[in-house]
Amino acid sequence: MNIEQFLLKAKELGFSATVEPWIEAKKVKGADLAFLSPLKTDLQWQLLFKALMQLIEARTSYTDSLKNLELISDLILMGHEETLFEQSHDFAKWSVHLRALRYPATTKRDDQLKDKLEKLPWPYGSKTKFERRGDRAGIELKMFITSEADLIKAISSLERVKDQIGAE
Amino acid sequence: MAPNNSLPVFKKIYIDRCSENSEVAARVRSLYPVEIIEVVESGFLASQRGPMTAEEFNLSKQTLLLTEFKGQFFKRCPGATQKKTLTCCNYHVLNLGSQCNMNCSYCYLQSYLNTKMSLIYTNIDQALEELKAMINEFPNHPFRVGTGEIIDSLSLDEITLYSRKLIEFFKPYPKWVLEFKTKSNKVDQFIDIPGADNITVSWSINPPYIIDREEHGTARFHERIEAAKKCRDQGYKLAFHIDPMIYHPEWKENYGFLVDEITSTFTPEEVQIISIGTLRYQPEQRHMMRDRFGVQSLVVGAEMFPSEGNKLRYDATLRGEMLSFVFKRLKSKSEKWNAFFCMETPETWISAIEKVPMQVPELKDMFKPLPVVGT
């Protein structure tokens, strides 16, 4: 996919007024859009440009735009149409929705793991945040320790967490 | 030595001037119509280098160039060069060509090759000289040498007959193990030569469900098993690479079937190793795969995430579950099955079998560091 072909398609389908300035502003190159080459039909391209309009409107960064466009392109090829645009009024929620569509099994497993991990007896006053980092998912744990006594209590809580995980 | 089925299909075969008088060129002339063969001058190969589109990659499988290799034939397996992140066995590779005439959706060559045609190197004698020097330097080190890294070891072997030269070459050096790795069933061209304990014929294998969907142009499941039986009966050692395991809803049933077939057909004594790995690929490969196979492919549509070493892989927990399932199924048949994980992180080893290879007595030797050669 080169930029000229991309812009031509945008023009054909009536999206060039928004797409052209975006390409220019974000300095998008043909290689950045390599994932678009399997799109064939006008319906597929229309869905793609409609999604791009939403991303432009949400003022997403260059990286977020391309990452989400690739997800969207996969989803279009998988046969998604209107389901793509659920939650699209709020970029943060939309992004989560798109990932859930593209990675349904992982999303389900992550949700179950999150539920399980969040119910564990983490140390009092600590903050937990469930995260997926690449191919691994887990809890980020933050604690503020001011004394040896704090530390002993935290270790004791973590021992209980370990025992509970081990018992399952 | 009659070929067991039709010859590999090429639309065009070029012979580099430097390879014009080679044995392989003579054989090509005897096997293929003269109209598709053309002798080219040196420099032709250089003109064929560069990044490939999906279409060019497809075409590169149908065009063959016979030429000489100018670099070092003998190298460490790419996994062994990532020892900081991966736990790898001491595999070495001898590259006698590049590209493959089969067409697996997950093939890593899609992000690795940059030559717009398949290559067969005609100067095997030079490769054997290089090997001979290595063997003389380290005769008692257990090097494992595979020829199936960037080309299938046997799918083009009816053209080269390199298997015959390599088998005879390795036989006097029992510490050094030669491994042919293939997804074909082409063994008839060497099967008249009696096998030896240090000659392994191995199959990269998946359940029929995956072979039918993702391994296009390869030998079918039972064809590979039949070819393995022929080699076993002639005294060759066998190996299986259940790699890449590909997730799909019925994966347990299908990989269970695969393990049951292998363990009911062969004994642990006949099969030197079974390596197990899950789907992985370089991120830049995804575009080529999407173009060539579409998102309906189980590989292209897979849920993959960036991992240690930058490759895309399944979620680590799922990976551990898949590897552990096959490992435990094998061990449930007999503790004697010698299995290990290919290109995996220490964390995955621990999550799957609670050990790293150096803690597994039967794997210790295979993973023990060897002198570094051919980086």
Side-chain angles (χ1 to χ4, degrees):
Chain A
M1 168 68 46
N2 61 44
I3 286 294
E4 289 71 34
Q5 289 169 317
F6 180 74
L7 289 174
L8 188 66
K9 204 75 205 170
K11 197 174 175 185
E12 269 174 36
L13 298 174
F15 291 94
S16 65
T18 317
V19 170
E20 259 184 58
W22 177 78
I23 291 278
E24 234 170 77
K26 301 283 183 189
K27 297 187 171 58
V28 179
K29 298 181 291 294
D32 299 332
L33 302 174
F35 53 84
L36 294 179
S37 61
L39 295 182
K40 299 286 180 253
T41 67
D42 277 357
L43 173 64
Q44 291 176 332
W45 279 105
Q46 254 155 1
L47 289 167
L48 191 279
F49 284 124
K50 189 176 160 192
L52 178 56
M53 294 297 108
Q54 295 286 121
L55 292 170
I56 294 171
E57 201 179 312
R59 297 172 175 272
T60 48
S61 67
Y62 167 86
T63 310
D64 277 345
S65 300
L66 291 179
K67 211 157 67 180
N68 281 287
L69 265 189
E70 183 169 349
L71 269 187
I72 290 161
S73 150
D74 269 0
L75 291 168
I76 292 170
L77 292 166
M78 286 170 171
H80 290 274
E81 292 180 17
E82 288 313 308
T83 47
L84 283 175
F85 299 98
E86 286 168 20
Q87 318 263 13
S88 64
H89 57 281
D90 177 330
F91 176 68
K93 284 183 182 166
W94 191 33
S95 195
V96 171
H97 170 69
L98 292 172
R99 282 184 68 81
L101 284 181
R102 178 62 184 84
Y103 305 106
T106 310
T107 303
K108 192 176 164 195
R109 267 199 311 276
D110 281 359
D111 287 347
Q112 286 167 346
L113 183 65
K114 184 175 180 232
D115 267 5
K116 191 174 122 184
L117 291 178
E118 284 180 350
K119 282 180 190 148
L120 291 169
W122 299 105
Y124 181 75
S126 67
K127 284 183 185 163
T128 57
K129 189 179 162 203
F130 181 84
E131 268 188 25
R132 168 159 287 281
R133 295 181 184 170
D135 65 338
R136 280 157 211 276
I139 283 271
E140 185 186 79
L141 180 67
K142 269 191 190 170
M143 286 185 288
F144 187 60
I145 304 283
T146 58
S147 64
E148 193 183 344
D150 276 0
L151 186 62
I152 290 168
K153 272 189 206 165
I155 291 171
S156 158
S157 293
L158 290 173
E159 284 290 339
R160 280 199 299 277
V161 170
K162 191 184 116 193
D163 291 345
Q164 209 158 313
I165 290 173
E168 281 168 10
Chain B
M1 268 201 336
N4 59 1
N5 47 30
S6 62
L7 277 171
V9 175
F10 289 107
K11 287 186 175 164
K12 184 79 189 175
I13 301 178
Y14 295 102
I15 302 175
D16 198 329
R17 182 73 67 197
C18 62
S19 297
E20 206 180 353
N21 299 316
S22 63
E23 282 177 37
V24 181
R27 191 155 163 83
V28 160
R29 286 194 178 97
S30 73
L31 294 171
Y32 288 91
V34 67
E35 303 80 47
I36 68 161
I37 300 172
E38 181 183 340
V39 175
V40 291
E41 299 304 324
S42 62
F44 177 75
L45 178 57
S47 71
Q48 300 300 312
R49 300 245 194 246
M52 280 183 273
T53 62
E55 183 65 17
E56 285 170 329
F57 191 85
N58 291 339
L59 285 172
S60 73
K61 289 179 175 287
Q62 297 161 18
T63 314
L64 174 65
L65 171 67
L66 308 183
T67 188
E68 288 188 348
F69 184 62
K70 311 291 182 198
Q72 188 181 3
F73 281 98
F74 188 68
K75 290 191 171 85
R76 283 199 297 169
C77 167
T81 60
Q82 293 183 52
K83 288 245 175 190
K84 278 186 190 157
T85 50
L86 303 176
T87 304
C88 272
C89 62
N90 289 302
Y91 202 65
H92 286 72
V93 294
L94 187 70
N95 295 325
L96 298 169
S98 71
Q99 191 41 302
C100 177
N101 58 325
M102 296 175 281
N103 205 7
C104 300
S105 57
Y106 51 77
C107 179
Y108 89 106
L109 296 178
Q110 292 171 105
S111 61
Y112 185 83
L113 296 180
N114 65 350
T115 303
K116 293 171 187 170
M117 48 189 58
S118 307
L119 303 178
I120 288 177
Y121 301 127
T122 55
N123 49 335
I124 187 173
D125 292 341
Q126 199 179 317
L128 297 181
E129 270 173 37
E130 205 180 282
L131 260 181
K132 179 96 181 167
M134 291 300 311
I135 291 174
N136 286 341
E137 194 175 349
F138 307 109
N140 294 314
H141 284 82
F143 278 92
R144 289 164 53 232
V145 183
T147 58
E149 194 65 22
I150 54 172
I151 188 167
D152 185 279
S153 292
L154 299 175
S155 72
L156 298 179
D157 196 51
E158 286 169 290
I159 301 177
T160 63
L161 301 181
Y162 283 168
S163 57
R164 302 181 68 83
K165 285 194 175 197
L166 287 163
I167 291 166
E168 298 296 2
F169 178 88
F170 272 81
K171 272 189 174 175
Y173 309 104
K175 282 274 182 185
W176 281 60
V177 173
L178 167 68
E179 180 179 341
F180 296 121
K181 193 192 274 189
T182 189
K183 285 196 187 89
S184 78
N185 60 343
K186 301 205 179 247
V187 299
D188 290 351
Q189 70 281 5
F190 66 82
I191 205 73
D192 59 305
I193 306 175
D197 283 352
N198 67 327
I199 313 291
T200 303
V201 189
S202 76
W203 275 267
S204 171
I205 198 154
N206 250 309
Y209 183 89
I210 296 297
I211 291 177
D212 293 347
R213 284 161 182 76
E214 307 292 337
E215 299 184 351
H216 312 285
T218 62
R220 303 295 85 185
F221 180 80
H222 283 100
E223 291 176 322
R224 295 186 214 180
I225 296 291
E226 284 308 311
K229 278 159 73 176
K230 276 188 198 174
C231 291
R232 184 261 322 265
D233 294 346
Q234 186 64 336
Y236 288 93
K237 287 291 177 190
L238 305 178
F240 291 100
H241 305 285
I242 306 176
D243 188 6
M245 287 182 74
I246 293 171
Y247 176 84
H248 55 286
E250 306 82 17
W251 70 269
K252 281 190 182 168
E253 189 186 328
N254 287 324
Y255 283 99
F257 166 83
L258 168 59
V259 170
D260 294 352
E261 283 292 295
I262 290 174
T263 52
S264 62
T265 312
F266 305 101
T267 66
E269 290 72 26
E270 292 162 353
V271 180
Q272 279 186 325
I273 47 165
I274 296 183
S275 73
I276 315 165
T278 54
L279 178 66
R280 57 201 175 274
Y281 52 82
Q282 295 290 347
E284 58 270 24
Q285 185 173 316
R286 66 196 193 282
H287 305 313
M288 174 80 88
M289 294 195 304
R290 201 191 275 115
D291 257 12
R292 300 185 65 230
F293 300 100
V295 289
Q296 303 314 324
S297 150
L298 294 168
V299 169
V300 184
E303 299 185 22
M304 305 294 277
F305 302 94
S307 68
E308 290 272 6
N310 199 36
K311 282 185 182 168
L312 296 178
R313 295 172 193 260
Y314 294 128
D315 168 69
T317 308
L318 174 65
R319 233 158 69 216
E321 201 184 319
M322 292 171 78
L323 295 168
S324 166
F325 174 82
V326 170
F327 188 86
K328 286 179 180 159
R329 183 99 168 200
L330 277 166
K331 292 291 184 182
S332 76
K333 305 289 175 183
S334 162
E335 275 297 323
K336 289 181 186 166
W337 288 104
N338 197 9
F340 73 90
F341 304 142
C342 185
M343 290 199 185
E344 267 302 348
T345 59
E347 291 83 359
T348 308
W349 276 83
I350 289 164
S351 87
I353 62 163
E354 293 167 4
K355 287 185 180 90
V356 291
M358 290 304 272
Q359 296 168 317
V360 182
E362 59 271 28
L363 296 178
K364 219 170 165 176
D365 273 353
M366 195 183 281
F367 284 78
K368 204 157 55 185
L370 285 174
V372 174
V373 296
T375 49

